[in-house]
Every structure is written in structure tokens, then in C-alpha cells.
Amino acid sequence: MKERIYTIPINEAFDKGTECPLCVCEDKLEDDALRYTTGPAMMEPDTRIETNKKGFCKDHYTKLCNLEQNKLPLALVIDTHLAEQIEALAGIYNKHEVDIIKESEKSAIRSAIDTLTGKKKVAGIAVSELAEKLESLEKTCFVCDRLDANMERLIENVLYLYEKEPEFREKFKNSKGFCLKHFKLLLIKASEEFSGPKQAEFLLDLIPTQLEALKRVQEDVNYFTKMFDYRNQNADWKNSRDAVPRSIEKICGTCQLKR
Ligand SMILES: [Zn+2]
Ligand SMILES: [Zn+2]
């Protein structure tokens, strides 16, 4: 089985009694990945090759920019990333520039003939190559990749603890379940890591706990809506005051929601 590097943070996250202990772990790993990006990673040539190539997603650009007052490390990373991307985009443009100029000078008759004979517009080729490049850039993120890899190892560690430590297994069973994203990851990882009977045993602990947790959250949201009925104006809110943000986090994991 894999290294047990995350044993302590996992136990601490489960002790917090939140709607998803794996979100607690993920927030910590994300913070580590963000700090690494503008910290030690900057001096690592291999990492710089990766950040130059991948860049970051919108969410992680935002978090990187808001992370530190000192913007110099981030500026250095963006500088070389942009330089590389400009070169790549210019490379595509330069390859087609002469043909684009020719196309722009084409007469209306020539253009009509080309359309009739099914000749592909050169501008269209350049556009699809540029769009493909931009699309792949939108999808790649150094922080997401690092976080996903570490989360995968963390979930392997959760399964290890579940299998080996009865005390942790009790914590797991008595938890408030997980957000849907991490529920899915647990299902997938368990099918990869566990033998048939072990996986089945795990599912018997996980799925009923998860369904019960979802039902509890849904009931809180339902109770919240009932509180807007004038007949309930003096009723107790019980556990429903934060039902909307809590239900959203149960559905999609940690978000920066106003409460
Ligand atoms: Zn989660
Ligand atoms: Zn990202």
C-alpha cells in the first residue's frame, strides 16, 4: 500500500465534523500547491518548464494573485509563461500569414469559385489552429494538476486507514458524509484499490452514510423554505439558517460563499 504521509491531517479533518472532511484536506493541499507555485517552485527549472507550458485556470490565477502582497514571484512566473505562449501563437500566425494576406486580396469571383469547388478557407485553418491552442491552454493548470495528484494519494491514504485502523473506520462511518465530488472519488478509488468483497464492505459503509447525509441537508433546505411561511414567523430556525450555502458545498465542495 502507498505511503502514509497524510495520516495525521486526515484524522484531524475527520475530527472537525464538517460536511466533507475531504474538502478540509483539499483546501489545505490547494493552499500548499499555491504557496509552492510562487515559492520553491519558482527556482526549479523543471517546474518552470511546466508552468510556462500549462499556466493556470481562472480560479487559480485569482487565488495566486490574492495570496500574497508581494507580486514579484507571480510576475516572474507569468512573464515566462506569456513569453512562451506568445511565441506559440505567433508561430501559428506566421505559418499562415502569407496565405491570409493572399486571401484578403482575392477577388469576389475567385472567392465564389473557391467556395463552389469546396476549397477550404485559409483563414479558417488558421482560426481552428489558434482556437485549438487557446482551448488547450484554457484546460491546463499547474496547480490543478498538482492538487489532483496529491488528492489522489490522499484518498488512497483514507482507504488505507479505513482498511487498517478500526478506530478510523468508526470515524468514517459516523461522519457527515462527503461532498458529491469527493463521494465520487471515494467510489472510484475504492474500486481500484480494494478487492471485490472489501469494496462491497466499503460501499455498505459509505453509500448509506452518504445518502443519509444528503437527506439531512435536503431536509434542512426544505425547513429553510418553510420558515418563509408567515405561519412560521415565530418558529425556531433549528439547523436551517445556513442551509443554502451548506447545501451548495455539499453538492460541489468548498466554495467562497457569503454566509
Ligand atoms: Zn469534498
Ligand atoms: Zn487550476
Side-chain angles (χ1 to χ4, degrees):
M1 195 69 181
K2 314 290 182 297
E3 308 161 60
R4 298 174 55 194
I5 43 171
Y6 297 120
T7 305
I8 297 168
I10 291 169
N11 266 297
E12 283 174 0
F14 273 81
D15 289 339
K16 284 201 163 91
T18 62
E19 289 292 348
C20 179
L22 293 180
C23 277
V24 174
C25 297
E26 191 173 78
D27 289 349
K28 170 82 177 64
L29 288 178
E30 184 183 42
D31 193 61
D32 290 349
L34 291 168
R35 289 182 194 285
Y36 174 75
T37 305
T38 52
M42 283 217 7
M43 310 303 279
E44 291 274 348
D46 285 355
T47 314
R48 289 298 288 278
I49 290 172
E50 227 184 307
T51 53
N52 287 346
K53 187 167 157 246
K54 294 177 182 170
F56 307 95
C57 65
K58 189 175 169 182
D59 181 33
H60 285 134
Y61 270 121
T62 309
K63 286 177 176 163
L64 283 167
C65 193
N66 294 339
L67 189 67
E68 302 275 6
Q69 203 63 25
N70 176 12
K71 303 278 187 280
L72 176 62
L74 181 58
L76 293 167
V77 172
I78 294 175
D79 180 22
T80 51
H81 167 68
L82 263 184
E84 186 169 311
Q85 298 314 315
I86 291 166
E87 203 183 309
L89 294 169
I92 298 172
Y93 174 66
N94 292 339
K95 203 168 66 180
H96 298 290
E97 192 184 23
V98 174
D99 291 334
I100 295 173
I101 293 169
K102 269 194 223 154
E103 178 119 5
S104 75
E105 290 162 350
K106 225 183 251 177
S107 68
I109 295 169
R110 182 75 247 166
S111 172
I113 293 168
D114 284 352
T115 307
L116 283 172
T117 53
K119 198 173 170 206
K120 216 164 182 235
K121 278 191 250 169
V122 67
I125 301 167
V127 166
S128 64
E129 279 184 34
L130 285 167
E132 199 180 311
K133 167 71 193 158
L134 293 167
E135 215 159 284
S136 85
L137 196 54
E138 256 172 34
K139 283 185 193 141
T140 53
C141 170
F142 174 75
V143 174
C144 278
D145 286 357
R146 191 174 169 84
L147 181 58
D148 288 350
N150 286 339
M151 248 344 253
E152 197 151 311
R153 291 172 71 199
L154 187 130
I155 291 178
E156 284 164 8
N157 279 240
V158 169
L159 298 180
Y160 176 89
L161 287 173
Y162 171 87
E163 193 182 7
K164 303 286 179 198
E165 292 186 7
E167 206 181 304
F168 180 78
R169 187 181 290 213
E170 277 312 301
K171 258 188 219 180
F172 187 94
K173 283 199 277 190
N174 295 322
S175 73
K176 290 182 177 167
F178 305 89
C179 70
L180 294 185
K181 178 175 105 175
H182 290 133
F183 174 47
K184 181 186 83 181
L185 285 182
L186 282 167
L187 290 169
I188 293 170
K189 260 282 158 232
S191 71
E192 291 167 6
E193 297 281 320
F194 288 156
S195 65
K198 177 96 324 204
Q199 186 197 357
E201 200 185 316
F202 178 74
L203 294 182
L204 289 173
D205 281 340
L206 172 64
I207 300 173
T209 304
Q210 181 68 21
L211 291 177
E212 205 179 298
L214 289 172
K215 210 168 144 225
R216 170 180 49 77
V217 171
Q218 188 250 319
E219 278 166 3
D220 287 346
V221 176
N222 182 267
Y223 191 89
F224 180 90
T225 65
K226 298 263 167 49
M227 287 302 286
F228 291 82
D229 186 324
Y230 72 96
R231 283 166 296 190
N232 292 327
Q233 55 182 308
N234 294 317
D236 181 3
W237 282 84
K238 292 187 183 165
N239 201 26
S240 74
R241 273 192 198 279
D242 68 340
V244 171
R246 197 153 41 82
S247 65
I248 293 172
E249 293 199 329
K250 196 76 183 171
I251 294 166
C252 47
T254 313
C255 319
Q256 258 89 43
L257 301 172
K258 282 186 189 160
R259 296 197 182 231

